[in-house]
Structures are given as C-alpha cells and as structure tokens.
Amino acid sequence: MRIVVLAGGIGGARFLLGVRAYAREVGAEVTAVVNVGDDLYLHGLKVCPDLDSVMYTLGGGADPERGWGRAGETWTVKSELAAYGAEPSWFGLGDRDLATHLVRTTMLSGGYPLSAVTEALATRWQPGVRLLPATDDRLETHVVVSDPGGGDQRAIHFQEWWVRHRAEIPTHRFVFVGAESAKPAPGVLDAVGAADVVLLAPSNPVVSIAPILAVPGLREAVADGSARVVGISPIIGGAAVRGMADRCLAVLGVECSAAGVGGLYGGRAAGGLLDGWLVAPEDEETVVPDVTVRAVPLRMTDEAATAAMVRAALELT
Ligand code: GDP
Ligand code: CA
C-alpha cells in the first residue's frame, strides 16, 4: 500500500509519527508532501520550519515540549545576534538548529534544489518516510494586514504575522507569493498518482495545507487521482487543538469547526477533495455534503493513539 500525506509543521509531524507506526505494521510506503509557505531567509540562512519540524520529530531530535526546534537546544548565537541589535529579533534560531540551516543554505547556494537538500538532510535523521517539499520553487505565504487603528494595507511574511504579531493585527487575506509559477517538486505528482490513499494531516488548513494545494497541478492530482482522499480535522469541539487556526479561518470567513474545515476542503463530487472526513467524538453530528464522516478520538497524545486515527482513516476508504 502507498500512502501520501499532505502536512504542515507540528500537527503534521505528530500525525506522521502515527502514519509511520501504522505503515510499519502493515508494510506500507509513506511519502510526506510538506508545506514550504512558511520558509524564509533569516540572517542569510534558509529556514524551512515545517520541513524541519517533520524531520526532527520523525528523527527523534525534536524538543517535545516546544514542539518545534531541537531537543537540548542552546541559544548562544541568538544572544550574540541580540548584542549586535541584529533584526529580526522575534524569531529564535537555536545553536543546534542553525547547523541544519547552514548545511541547507550551502547546498542551495551550490545549486541543489530544496528536494535534494531535504533528502541529504534526511540521511542523518532517517525519518522513515519519504520527505518531499511541495515545490522546489519560491512559494511564500504573505499576509495582507493594516496597522492597528487603520492605515494602509501592506503584506508581511507569514512568520512575521504569526510569530511577531501573534496573528493579532487587522488581517485581510493570505497570498501565496510565487504559487502561480511554482512546479510540484520532483516525485510529488508521481507519489500522488501512485498512491492508494492521500491523507490530509490535521494541519492548519489555511496556512499549511492550502499553500501545498496552491502549487499548480497538485490540487488537481489529488482531486482527480485514483487515490481515496481522507482528511483529519484539526478542529475539535469548535477550537484548534493548539495554534491559531481559528484566527486563520476567521480571515477566510470560515467557521472554526470540524464542519467548517470539512466544507472548506469540500467533497469530491462537488469539485472538492474529500472522500472521507474524520472528526472527533464531540463533533459526530458533523455533515459535509457528499463526504463520509466518521467520529473517532483525534487527540494525538502518543504514537499509538495517532496510529489508531490513521487506521480509522484507512478503514473509511
Ligand atoms: P504548524 O505548521 O507547526 O503550525 O503545524 P500544522 O499546521 O501541521 O498543525 C497545526 C494544527 O494541528 C492546528 O490547527 C491544531 O489544531 C492541530 N493539532 C495539533 N494537535 C492536534 C491533535 O492532537 N489532534 C488534532 N486533531 N489536531 C491537532
Ligand atoms: Ca507551519
């Protein structure tokens, strides 16, 4: 069996732990197609937060409390940068984490595409699933905001909106800069085409899954392919389990609920993506037109609980 997972960072990474556990049990092959919309250059270095969250988590090197970055991290370089007054100061890069960005940036400068760099970094971490960026091309999520109290609209990088402003400034829309001319990374369309099932991880639908689907050809490959498509709700009982998905959904005018996100993805019969939609027991009344909805526990408390979610998703197909 071949499983493709569309994934963002922390939620995607935790979900992939369960997918990998399930796949080892049944002998399935897993490809993760990961969001690059959060990627940015900081202090001259290319940082890929979602790819790194997935790589460190699956490789056993993630900080379990923070959920992002490296376990046993130290912050010497960060305080040295602060001593120079170097901006941006709102994004913390740990010393261990910096090594990843140095290797990545060196390889990118040497002409290697991000997919090849990701494969090289994964040789160290052995994530046990194939990790692919959605695209090798520049695709950045920007957010159109205005200053509190009014003022002109301007676009800022997603990370500035999320990390610096905590999504707490007047927000108008999201723009996936570069999406129109981006191409799926090598292997992505083949993986989707050969998949028996495509799973939409319980990642942020607006800023993790949507930028993946914004790569021309990718949404079509999922929607029109032969693989069954099952999504897992990141919203339980009307709230995001963690993070600020509620703020993102509000910008789109979509209700923060399992039904709202299910409707945003839509049923395949209506030109959407989903055959099946997994919701939590408290959301069992959820209806998404033309989509098979099933309620099972959706809290990714440990690998076994998450693997049970994956099993339920596959049973739905
Ligand atoms: P990010 O890129 O690091 O923000 O992470 P993702 O986009 O991959 O995942 C963030 C989403 O994961 C949030 O919207 C959360 O609601 C969701 N999430 C986190 N933990 C859980 C969980 O245990 N169960 C479910 N169903 N969703 C979760
Ligand atoms: Ca992210």
Side-chain angles (χ1 to χ4, degrees):
M1 186 173 44
R2 294 192 173 93
I3 303 171
V4 167
V5 182
L6 307 192
I10 300 174
R14 296 232 164 109
F15 182 67
L16 280 161
L17 283 175
V19 178
R20 184 179 64 182
Y22 174 84
R24 280 178 178 159
E25 224 174 90
V26 302
E29 202 177 279
V30 182
T31 302
V33 177
V34 181
N35 173 41
V36 298
D38 298 9
D39 296 7
L40 72 172
Y41 274 91
L42 288 170
H43 311 292
L45 300 178
K46 174 81 164 183
V47 180
C48 302
D50 287 1
L51 278 165
D52 288 345
S53 289
V54 170
M55 183 173 76
Y56 294 155
T57 300
L58 292 176
D63 184 287
E65 262 100 72
R66 269 203 317 274
W68 57 271
R70 293 288 312 282
E73 190 58 280
T74 55
W75 304 91
T76 305
V77 175
K78 185 177 189 238
S79 59
E80 287 295 316
L81 286 166
Y84 284 110
E87 293 292 341
S89 54
W90 43 265
F91 198 100
L93 292 178
D95 301 331
R96 288 172 186 261
D97 193 26
L98 272 165
T100 305
H101 312 316
L102 285 165
V103 174
R104 174 186 289 127
T105 307
T106 304
M107 284 190 74
L108 288 170
S109 313
Y112 290 94
L114 182 63
S115 50
V117 176
T118 303
E119 194 180 341
L121 294 171
T123 338
R124 169 180 178 194
W125 292 102
Q126 296 291 315
V129 312
R130 187 161 175 227
L131 287 189
L132 296 175
T135 179
D136 279 337
D137 301 317
R138 177 169 175 246
L139 187 164
E140 271 176 25
T141 302
H142 287 201
V143 190
V144 179
V145 299
S146 40
D147 292 317
D152 291 342
Q153 294 192 4
R154 64 198 168 94
I156 58 176
H157 191 284
F158 168 74
Q159 296 290 356
E160 187 174 351
W161 182 74
W162 186 259
V163 180
R164 183 181 188 188
H165 297 293
R166 307 304 301 164
E168 272 162 1
I169 47 176
T171 305
H172 308 287
R173 62 184 191 278
F174 299 96
V175 184
F176 305 128
V177 176
E180 317 76 55
S181 53
K183 291 175 295 299
V188 169
L189 292 184
D190 288 345
V192 172
D196 300 292
V197 57
V198 174
L199 300 176
L200 309 185
S203 289
N204 188 314
V206 181
V207 295
S208 289
I209 303 294
I212 299 174
L213 295 167
V215 177
L218 224 153
R219 169 183 272 276
E220 295 72 16
V222 175
D224 306 335
S226 58
R228 306 283 287 165
V229 183
V230 180
I232 293 86
S233 177
I235 307 296
I236 298 182
V241 180
R242 58 186 281 172
M244 303 179 284
D246 53 336
R247 307 243 166 89
C248 300
L249 288 165
V251 173
L252 267 60
V254 171
E255 184 185 76
C256 182
S257 67
V261 177
L264 182 64
Y265 289 140
R268 268 169 131 182
L273 292 167
L274 299 175
D275 297 304
W277 184 232
L278 276 195
V279 302
E282 43 271 70
D283 301 312
E284 67 177 348
E285 310 288 310
T286 300
V287 175
V288 183
D290 300 312
V291 176
T292 309
V293 177
R294 198 176 148 205
V296 297
L298 287 189
R299 296 206 186 259
M300 301 189 282
T301 42
D302 57 36
E303 213 169 287
T306 312
M309 284 165 53
V310 175
R311 179 177 302 281
L314 288 161
E315 277 167 13
L316 208 54
T317 66

